[in-house]
Amino acid sequence: MTDTSVHTNGNATSSDWIDRFYHVDQILDRPGPRTDPSFLAGDEVKDFLRNKCKILVIGAGGLGCEILANLALTGFKDIHVIDMDTIDISNLNRQFLFRPADVGKPKAIVASEFIMNRVAGVKVTPYYGRIQDKDDDYYMQFNLVICGLDSVEARRWINATLVNLVDPENPESLKPLIDGGTEGFKGQARVILPTVSSCYECSLDMLNKPTAFPICTIANTPRLPEHCIEWASVLEWPRVHGDKKLDTDDPEHIGWLYTIAAARAKEFKIEGVTWSLTQGVVKNVIPAIASTNAIVAASCCNEAFKIATSSAAYLNNYFMLIGTEGVYSYTFEHEKREHCPVCGGESLEISVNREWTVERLIEMLTETQNIQIKKPSLSTPAKPIYFQSPPQLEEATRPNLEKKVSELVPDGGEVTVTASTLPFSLSLLITYT
Amino acid sequence: MTIPSQGSLEAQDIEVATTALQSQPDNKTRRYDRQLRLWAATGQSALESSRVLVISGSATSTSILKNLVLPGIGHFTILDHESVSPADAGNNFFLEGLRSIGKPRADEAVRLLSELNDGVEGKADKRTLESILESEPEWLTSFTLVIAHNIHPLLLGKLSSLLWNDSTYPPLMVVRSAGFLAEFFIQFHEHTIIESHSETAPSLRIDKPFPALREHALSLDFATMDPTEHGHIPYVVILVRVLEDWKKAHDGNPPKTYDEKKEFKKGILALKLKPDEENFDEAEAQAYRCFTETKVPSEISALFEDPVISPESLSQNPSPFFHLLSALKEFTIQSESHTLPLTSTLPDMKSDTKSYIHLQRLYKLRAEEEKQAFKSYVRAPVDDALVDSFVKNAHALQVLRGEQWGAFDADKKALGSPIEVSFGTATALLVTPKGLLIHLSLSALSSLNTREPGVLLTVEALRAEVQAIIGEGVVLPDELEEVIGELVRAPTAELPNTAAFLGGMVAQEAIKMITKQYIPVKGYCVVDLIETWTGVVNA
């Protein structure tokens, strides 16, 4: 990247050369047998793709790096990217826009600069921060959104935001969301048309349950090296360090946990506590490789290209890949969930035991596969039941935790559940058994 | 690298294993952390000693290489005599746009790919494949794997025959693409896998307990023991005990009928002293383990029939895998239980530390004993770490046998038959019609481009060519029109997304071939990026 003078020009076609799009234009110049009649072959579609279409990429990590490169090569020229992370050495085995000298720098910024240097005439606008920092007007400016995230929470947030954005009077308000995800040799890509097709929240029950070890096992009957590591991080760290926050990216912190876990393992004659396992357990490390990310990111970008140009039919609506045993993939239509709290618009009916306390109900909301709300706040149309924050309200409502739900909510009564991490509220209709 | 291999920890003394503290991993281990969790140090070292040849510096080729350079193969060579064209500069991320036009494509691609990883050696070779095949074919033996993208079918034919006909030559991956459609194929004779990373766990052999386990289970007095201890007996011990008692009362037979199984489960729950003893609930849920006899899994006993392990063949075969397989067969015949050697991996279960660790210890000791017994049947010098790994993965060993590139297209009986009837042979046209159409259409495209270079491609010409390959009289489904229509639309288009998708797919399979871990695809893997699906033809 020695000479950047030709490349900083974001003004569309002035940096193009003859035959630059020789390959892509074979698709854009004429329809194929499975192309929708609305396809405007030739200059019109090229002009839209290269001069008008604005696309947002969420995440500049394993999938994000790949997505940015693919979009740039296919002819998207106005790309925005959001990422709140900085580059870590463990990213370098797959996040190919980063070099060892970039460690510590913001991913969104380094990735944008790399793409603009490599692919002429492409403008990439980075935002180093959280997706939650941006408002509806910001999201409204894009034609498409592609997500390459590793967080369920962030996906739920953007999904709900884009569903809320839909205004039936304004077709432009419907922003197709293309979501990719990987874990080791497995991955998936999907197309979500907010309010029209199954949304991210609709498929929440497809997620694997996170491994959780009961606290009594950790405290009293450890059997596995993981139990010793959890003991060190969940019980010993706060006991010894008080309010000091555990930073799982700090090697000294990991080292401390490892030493403590290893000592406990020795005491109980448990084998297998290693540095790598300690880090894996406390950071919940998910294996990640370049090849799987390449497949899933390519699939996402291919859908974005087809949707933006109408040059071919697009994925309806879920592609799942398992690469551990041969190449196995499954393409299917995920159905909308009837009572989806995000795109279904109806209350969720749940029946609870008449003896249950509010605390038990909260526990159930946290654990239930298709709800999974961390730290929910509850209220009836008339009054708060329990609020996680602000502290005064938390304190005021705390005594309700011990009370029976049936004392506070009538049979068939409504409870509204909110959480700071989610831009929507869930409405429950409570019946008793 | 400071990662201990999985086997070495077990071999260490417990004191050493629990006290030798590691320091923070070095930079290389940290860099590769997310992949080491998949293929460990053994896989990484296989990658690092591999040498990969990629023929052509196309966008697809560089996408494949990117995904091999990042995880750290040892060496790659790009064989390409072309200069960068304006079209190349527009669709290949490992070229620098206008600045690369006119320069040798191999040089530019190698330079930019090499920036991804200092630990990988890259080389540009600007000779033609033709000249190498003619004057220096043995040069190809210096590679672990050869990958060829969209090369001329006549050259591909020569290359694949050369690599197929002599076992000292490496496997070949053939990749073809046009527009939204693509396929790839791995040509190899034989591929053996020890670490297949199967999700099936080996048997705990509850129905055939080894003596120490049986004694332990029988020594416990469930009725009079301390109640806390009772609530922590591991389910394995409960099941061994209940099954032994059951057999005594049923002429040595396990529960067989539905009613017996139900009664057996009821018997487990009846042993509870308190309703909240979760270990007994777990035992009930795991009771199925008592119902079917632990035998050598059928996939493994099928391997025992392989002629390769007959004494005559074995004396000619230097492969440690087959010597170990032969020893495994001998072990299963000689061992009392006629099972595979026991593995020491015990899943977690409701229990207290003492009972669990004790049980784990019993399994470890027995596994070690059986491993020693197994070793006594190994008649060739084999590295200890390999023996450990082999025994540990004995339940999921894999032997794959492949075929030559193009053999399928020449086998009309395998492709389709004039009258597709359900009781006929399972032709590819019957089993995987959509996938076969993509494969045949790509074959047809390739041969038409060669025979009539420069002539405008037509749907009619492609259809006729597909018909010629599959045979006259075979009725082709209507879906063929969708496939060939798409090829006529974009016969020479190498789309960036298709290239990136293939880049991931092919690299993934290359990694499996090189590391000999996980299971690579067999047959022609076809890709349709319009409806977004993949399939395997002639698996």
Side-chain angles (χ1 to χ4, degrees):
Chain A
M1 285 155 284
T2 45
D3 172 16
T4 55
S5 57
V6 235
H7 303 277
T8 45
N9 186 352
N11 286 337
T13 45
S14 57
S15 55
D16 291 349
W17 56 89
I18 291 172
D19 270 354
R20 174 176 185 178
F21 292 111
Y22 166 83
H23 295 278
V24 172
D25 283 353
Q26 292 184 37
I27 296 297
L28 298 183
D29 281 335
R30 48 196 164 268
R34 286 178 278 178
T35 303
D36 192 85
S38 68
F39 174 55
L40 301 163
D43 291 342
E44 202 159 338
V45 67
K46 291 178 199 170
D47 180 54
F48 174 74
L49 176 68
R50 293 167 198 161
N51 301 325
K52 299 196 175 110
C53 189
K54 206 170 188 182
I55 188 163
L56 174 65
V57 178
I58 301 181
L63 287 169
C65 285
E66 305 268 351
I67 290 169
L68 290 171
N70 295 338
L71 291 179
L73 288 178
T74 37
F76 288 89
K77 292 194 177 174
D78 189 357
I79 306 170
H80 291 239
V81 60
I82 305 186
D83 196 300
M84 58 184 281
D85 274 346
T86 55
I87 298 159
D88 180 76
I89 187 168
S90 66
N91 301 145
L92 301 180
N93 80 323
R94 61 195 187 284
Q95 300 180 15
F96 70 109
L97 306 179
F98 311 142
R99 303 288 173 263
D102 298 322
V103 168
K105 296 180 191 163
K107 288 184 179 179
I109 293 169
V110 176
S112 300
E113 281 169 5
F114 195 103
I115 296 289
M116 287 195 283
N117 278 325
R118 181 63 58 89
V119 187
V122 173
K123 190 174 144 209
V124 187
T125 311
Y127 174 67
Y128 170 43
R130 291 155 36 89
I131 50 172
Q132 292 87 349
D133 300 343
K134 300 292 189 183
D135 59 11
D136 284 359
D137 288 345
Y138 173 84
Y139 290 107
M140 196 57 113
Q141 66 180 308
F142 301 105
N143 299 95
L144 283 166
V145 179
I146 305 191
C147 273
L149 286 161
D150 56 4
S151 143
V152 173
E153 211 97 274
R155 281 197 180 96
R156 289 175 83 175
W157 191 91
I158 189 67
N159 175 67
T161 300
L162 295 183
V163 171
N164 290 341
L165 218 53
V166 176
D167 168 5
E169 305 290 308
N170 173 16
E172 294 294 307
S173 66
L174 195 149
K175 315 287 179 194
L177 169 64
I178 301 159
D179 179 62
T182 71
E183 174 172 355
F185 288 107
K186 302 172 185 171
Q188 83 281 335
R190 65 190 292 190
V191 172
I192 295 169
L193 300 177
T195 70
V196 177
S197 66
S198 155
C199 80
Y200 187 73
E201 199 75 18
C202 291
S203 60
L204 217 52
D205 55 357
M206 286 174 74
L207 295 174
N208 288 332
K209 270 199 168 168
T211 4
F213 303 110
I215 206 84
C216 64
T217 299
I218 297 167
N220 305 320
T221 59
R223 298 174 297 272
L224 304 181
E226 287 86 347
H227 297 153
C228 303
I229 295 164
E230 286 277 296
W231 185 79
S233 64
V234 176
L235 300 174
E236 282 301 279
W237 180 274
R239 192 182 68 77
V240 175
H241 295 95
D243 284 340
K244 185 168 151 194
K245 210 171 168 283
L246 175 64
D247 176 5
T248 55
D249 287 323
D250 185 336
E252 278 189 32
H253 290 192
I254 297 288
W256 187 87
L257 295 176
Y258 168 56
T259 314
I260 299 293
R264 182 161 174 90
K266 188 188 174 200
E267 182 189 338
F268 286 95
K269 298 191 167 55
I270 295 167
E271 292 176 35
V273 173
T274 60
W275 181 291
S276 158
L277 186 70
T278 306
Q279 195 191 36
V281 170
V282 299
K283 277 186 71 143
N284 187 26
V285 170
I286 292 161
I289 46 175
S291 47
T292 316
N293 283 330
I295 299 167
V296 168
S299 172
C300 289
C301 294
N302 190 48
E303 299 314 323
F305 174 77
K306 290 184 293 182
I307 292 172
T309 61
S310 302
S311 57
Y314 54 85
L315 169 65
N316 180 31
N317 50 30
Y318 205 114
F319 170 71
M320 185 197 271
L321 173 81
I322 300 175
T324 43
E325 236 177 88
V327 176
Y328 172 79
S329 78
Y330 181 49
T331 302
F332 65 100
E333 182 178 353
H334 190 273
E335 305 261 341
K336 282 184 83 159
R337 177 147 64 102
E338 206 183 336
H339 296 292
C340 175
V342 171
C343 72
E346 286 170 61
S347 307
L348 186 64
E349 287 174 36
I350 61 162
S351 77
V352 303
N353 190 307
R354 196 172 284 280
E355 299 301 308
W356 276 15
T357 61
V358 170
E359 191 165 22
R360 180 70 191 84
L361 177 65
I362 289 179
E363 194 187 333
M364 180 260 208
L365 292 175
T366 317
E367 284 172 357
T368 305
Q369 269 285 324
N370 59 15
I371 301 178
Q372 294 186 48
I373 297 186
K374 281 182 204 155
K375 299 195 172 177
S377 294
L378 275 55
S379 58
T380 68
K383 57 180 186 297
I385 299 175
Y386 177 71
F387 271 75
Q388 304 272 357
S389 65
Q392 301 88 326
L393 198 52
E394 195 279 332
E395 207 181 320
T397 54
R398 199 184 302 153
N400 282 346
L401 285 176
E402 315 267 308
K403 290 188 189 157
K404 286 179 189 165
V405 182
S406 53
E407 289 171 28
L408 302 165
V409 185
D411 200 1
E414 192 184 328
V415 170
T416 303
V417 183
T418 55
S420 60
T421 51
L422 297 173
F424 62 91
S425 61
L426 174 65
S427 167
L428 302 177
L429 282 182
I430 306 269
T431 52
Y432 296 104
T433 53
Chain B
M1 304 265 292
T2 50
I3 315 136
S5 74
Q6 287 172 316
S8 71
L9 256 184
E10 285 165 11
Q12 281 171 10
D13 181 63
I14 174 86
E15 193 62 21
V16 179
T18 55
T19 52
L21 277 184
Q22 305 152 332
S23 54
Q24 193 198 351
D26 58 24
N27 275 353
K28 188 175 161 194
T29 309
R30 285 164 65 203
R31 180 184 178 119
Y32 291 141
D33 179 80
R34 299 303 184 269
Q35 67 199 44
L36 289 169
R37 291 172 195 273
L38 291 172
W39 52 68
T42 48
Q44 190 61 32
S45 114
L47 275 182
E48 286 171 17
S49 32
S50 69
R51 295 170 50 85
V52 178
L53 172 66
V54 177
I55 303 174
S56 102
S58 68
T60 304
S61 298
T62 56
S63 294
I64 296 167
L65 273 172
K66 159 185 146 286
N67 300 321
L68 293 174
V69 170
L70 285 165
I73 51 169
H75 168 98
F76 70 94
T77 293
I78 293 181
L79 181 69
D80 191 338
H81 64 281
E82 305 272 358
S83 305
V84 175
S85 71
D88 293 336
N91 82 335
N92 193 330
F93 197 76
F94 295 93
L95 297 174
E96 287 186 297
L98 279 174
R99 275 168 291 176
S100 291
I101 294 176
K103 295 181 185 168
R105 193 160 69 162
D107 285 344
E108 288 292 274
V110 168
R111 176 172 65 83
L112 295 169
L113 283 164
S114 297
E115 285 178 4
L116 300 179
N117 192 339
D118 290 344
V120 179
E121 179 189 73
K123 197 168 172 291
D125 194 314
K126 284 164 275 184
R127 291 176 292 171
T128 62
L129 175 59
E130 207 162 9
S131 68
I132 287 164
L133 290 174
E134 259 168 38
S135 58
E136 219 187 320
E138 65 286 349
W139 176 70
L140 295 166
T141 58
S142 67
F143 295 97
T144 320
L145 183 67
V146 179
I147 302 173
H149 174 242
N150 276 4
I151 63 171
H152 192 287
L154 294 178
L155 282 178
L156 179 57
K158 279 187 195 167
L159 176 69
S160 60
S161 299
L162 173 75
L163 299 190
W164 180 259
N165 291 335
D166 182 338
S167 62
T168 58
Y169 281 89
L172 169 68
M173 295 181 80
V174 178
V175 189
R176 301 197 298 201
S177 63
F180 290 113
L181 306 175
E183 73 167 356
F184 67 91
F185 173 87
I186 318 175
Q187 171 179 293
F188 62 94
H189 280 275
E190 187 176 83
H191 183 74
T192 58
I193 310 160
I194 297 175
E195 292 170 83
S196 63
H197 297 265
S198 160
E199 282 172 21
T200 322
S203 170
L204 293 170
R205 255 199 248 159
I206 288 171
D207 62 314
K208 292 179 174 176
F210 53 89
L213 175 61
R214 188 171 172 274
E215 271 163 40
H216 173 60
L218 293 180
S219 72
L220 298 178
D221 188 345
F222 283 25
T224 62
M225 73 201 295
D226 171 74
T228 314
E229 221 175 296
H230 189 268
H232 288 100
I233 309 169
Y235 79 76
V236 171
V237 178
I238 297 174
L239 289 179
V240 169
R241 174 62 172 272
V242 175
L243 185 60
E244 287 291 319
D245 291 348
W246 174 279
K247 282 182 177 170
K248 251 182 245 160
H250 295 82
D251 300 324
N253 292 316
K256 285 177 187 161
T257 64
Y258 176 76
D259 286 335
E260 283 181 343
K261 289 174 186 174
K262 230 168 96 181
E263 193 190 332
F264 182 82
K265 288 184 179 181
K266 255 171 81 182
I268 296 169
L269 295 181
L271 292 171
K272 279 188 176 185
L273 291 180
K274 285 183 292 178
D276 64 349
E277 288 183 318
E278 291 177 321
N279 53 333
F280 285 91
D281 293 329
E282 197 173 51
E284 191 216 8
Q286 298 288 334
Y288 69 90
R289 292 176 185 269
C290 303
F291 303 155
T292 38
E293 186 191 345
T294 300
K295 288 185 195 158
V296 177
S298 56
E299 299 83 7
I300 305 299
S301 49
L303 299 183
F304 292 161
E305 302 312 312
D306 199 313
V308 176
I309 60 169
S310 69
E312 313 80 67
S313 311
L314 212 52
S315 60
Q316 309 289 316
N317 195 332
S319 150
F321 181 92
F322 289 107
H323 286 275
L324 291 168
L325 186 62
S326 162
L328 189 67
K329 181 181 183 179
E330 187 71 16
F331 176 91
T332 59
I333 295 169
Q334 301 297 337
S335 85
E336 222 171 290
S337 55
H338 301 299
T339 56
L340 298 174
L342 190 72
T343 54
S344 61
T345 25
L346 197 62
D348 191 25
M349 55 194 74
K350 309 270 181 210
S351 180
D352 57 73
T353 308
K354 198 173 133 246
S355 313
Y356 180 81
I357 298 294
H358 179 69
L359 184 64
Q360 196 179 45
R361 201 82 204 125
L362 294 179
Y363 269 83
K364 279 202 170 142
L365 288 172
R366 179 64 185 190
E368 187 57 35
E369 281 168 31
E370 295 196 5
K371 189 168 78 192
Q372 293 309 325
F374 167 80
K375 273 186 175 175
S376 70
Y377 302 117
V378 182
R379 315 247 182 265
V382 183
D383 180 57
D384 264 357
L386 193 64
V387 175
D388 288 350
S389 174
F390 189 88
V391 172
K392 197 175 167 154
N393 294 289
H395 65 290
L397 302 169
Q398 292 272 342
V399 177
L400 305 185
R401 296 220 162 81
E403 59 173 39
Q404 188 179 357
W405 161 261
F408 177 53
D409 283 20
D411 184 356
K412 290 216 162 39
K413 276 189 213 143
L415 295 172
S417 70
I419 313 151
E420 291 291 351
V421 277
S422 56
F423 49 83
T425 44
T427 64
L429 189 59
L430 265 183
V431 183
T432 50
K434 283 173 82 183
L436 179 72
L437 293 176
I438 292 181
H439 167 71
L440 292 178
S441 301
L442 286 168
S443 289
L445 175 69
S446 175
S447 57
L448 276 185
N449 276 343
T450 319
R451 237 181 302 133
E452 303 170 344
V455 175
L456 198 68
L457 196 71
T458 62
V459 165
E460 294 69 32
L462 263 180
R463 194 189 299 127
E465 190 65 24
V466 169
Q467 191 74 63
I469 301 172
I470 198 167
E472 300 306 326
V474 178
V475 181
L476 291 160
D478 293 344
E479 285 93 336
L480 177 66
E481 299 305 308
E482 294 184 350
V483 179
I484 56 181
E486 204 56 57
L487 291 182
V488 169
R489 177 195 198 181
T492 55
E494 201 185 345
L495 303 178
N497 293 323
T498 307
F501 192 92
L502 278 175
M505 285 267 174
V506 174
Q508 190 118 305
E509 298 310 302
I511 289 168
K512 294 189 217 166
M513 289 296 291
I514 293 167
T515 58
K516 294 193 158 204
Q517 293 189 35
Y518 300 92
I519 305 170
V521 69
K522 227 188 111 210
Y524 294 77
C525 182
V526 294
V527 176
D528 173 359
L529 286 180
I530 291 181
E531 281 158 54
T532 308
W533 56 270
T534 69
V536 182
V537 179
N538 196 35

